[in-house]
Amino acid sequence: MSKRQRPPGHRAALVAALLCVPSVLLLLLVELKWRPLLTLDGDIARTTHRWAVSDPDTTQTFRVLTDWVWDPWTMRALCAVACGWLALRGAWWLALWLAGTCAVGSAVQQSLKAAVDRPRPVWPDPVDSANYAAFPSGHAMTAAVVCGLLLWLLRRYDVRPAVWRAALVLAVVSVVGVGLTRIWLGVHWPSDVLGGWLLGAVTVALAVATYAYWPGRRGADLTASGAPR
């Protein structure tokens, strides 16, 4: 099949399929408590925890970032703002699709936490605390989903190159940064964060692939660019 004949969403579906492989593999290794993974997790976690205890200023900065700037509710609020902006432009179906994708991502995240029920790291001198099970990291997955979707939207609306570059940098810093803060603060194992990143990326890729078949796609496309894509 030639490139012109490929169905809409083909590339996103391919990316989703490729990302599913490491995502499922990591989930199985965590569930089976594969010792090399647990050992690596423990070594990294103990090292970063020593750094966190010995550097309270950096630790406090990371707590502010993870609890306020990159908190999942902050990310959801950002998504809500984007949905409102789309609705004001008349792209109701696109706003609904965006909100629905974020809701599905949250549901998948919470379901996996309950199913895997992985304990969080426990320290005699903790620098932070967190609730619920460890895998996957909700902060990492939510940031990946929201930032990924917003970048996709910016591409669809053909923003200026300078705006796109700034948004890309902010998204990368946010997704990577929130994962690192969770490890530094000792509330997640490194593989929890990796799992959140992978599952977030899978969610975005699947959402983009399914958007090709979304009932309101044509109207949303017309709103975005003035002509269907």
Side-chain angles (χ1 to χ4, degrees):
M1 182 180 292
S2 68
K3 184 176 181 180
R4 289 182 177 273
Q5 295 175 322
R6 286 176 180 172
H10 174 86
R11 183 180 300 176
L14 178 60
V15 171
L18 293 174
L19 288 171
C20 277
V21 175
S23 300
V24 172
L25 177 59
L26 181 60
L27 175 61
L28 288 175
L29 294 179
V30 169
E31 181 66 22
L32 295 173
K33 298 179 174 60
W34 191 51
R35 185 164 296 279
L37 177 65
L38 300 184
T39 299
L40 181 60
D41 271 344
D43 290 343
I44 296 174
R46 283 188 292 272
T47 299
T48 53
H49 181 67
R50 287 197 301 270
W51 294 345
V53 171
S54 63
D55 190 350
D57 291 337
T58 299
T59 298
Q60 181 59 29
T61 299
F62 283 180
R63 289 189 65 179
V64 171
L65 288 171
T66 197
D67 291 341
W68 295 98
V69 180
W70 295 325
D71 182 76
W73 285 108
T74 303
M75 290 292 167
R76 292 173 188 134
L78 185 60
C79 181
V81 170
C83 289
W85 180 80
L86 289 169
L88 288 174
R89 292 179 61 94
W92 287 97
W93 279 107
L94 188 53
L96 182 61
W97 171 86
L98 178 61
T101 301
C102 290
V104 168
S106 296
V108 169
Q109 165 205 310
Q110 292 300 324
S111 298
L112 284 174
K113 281 182 177 288
V116 178
D117 196 25
R118 189 186 198 187
R120 291 179 183 268
V122 177
W123 310 105
D125 50 351
V127 298
D128 202 356
S129 62
N131 300 316
Y132 309 112
F135 186 92
S137 166
H139 281 69
M141 184 172 176
T142 303
V145 169
V146 172
C147 290
L149 290 173
L150 293 183
L151 286 175
W152 180 80
L153 281 173
L154 290 175
R155 272 296 192 191
R156 287 184 51 75
Y157 279 85
D158 295 324
V159 297
R160 294 191 301 273
V163 175
W164 166 254
R165 287 193 293 270
L168 181 60
V169 170
L170 284 173
V172 171
V173 169
S174 296
V175 173
V176 174
V178 73
L180 295 180
T181 62
R182 304 308 284 170
I183 298 171
W184 179 280
L185 295 172
V187 294
H188 274 296
W189 306 106
S191 57
D192 299 335
V193 171
L194 179 59
W197 285 336
L198 286 171
L199 291 166
V202 169
T203 301
V204 172
L206 285 175
V208 171
T210 56
Y211 178 75
Y213 307 100
W214 189 251
R217 177 177 182 267
R218 179 178 173 82
D221 286 343
L222 287 167
T223 306
S225 62
R229 296 183 183 183

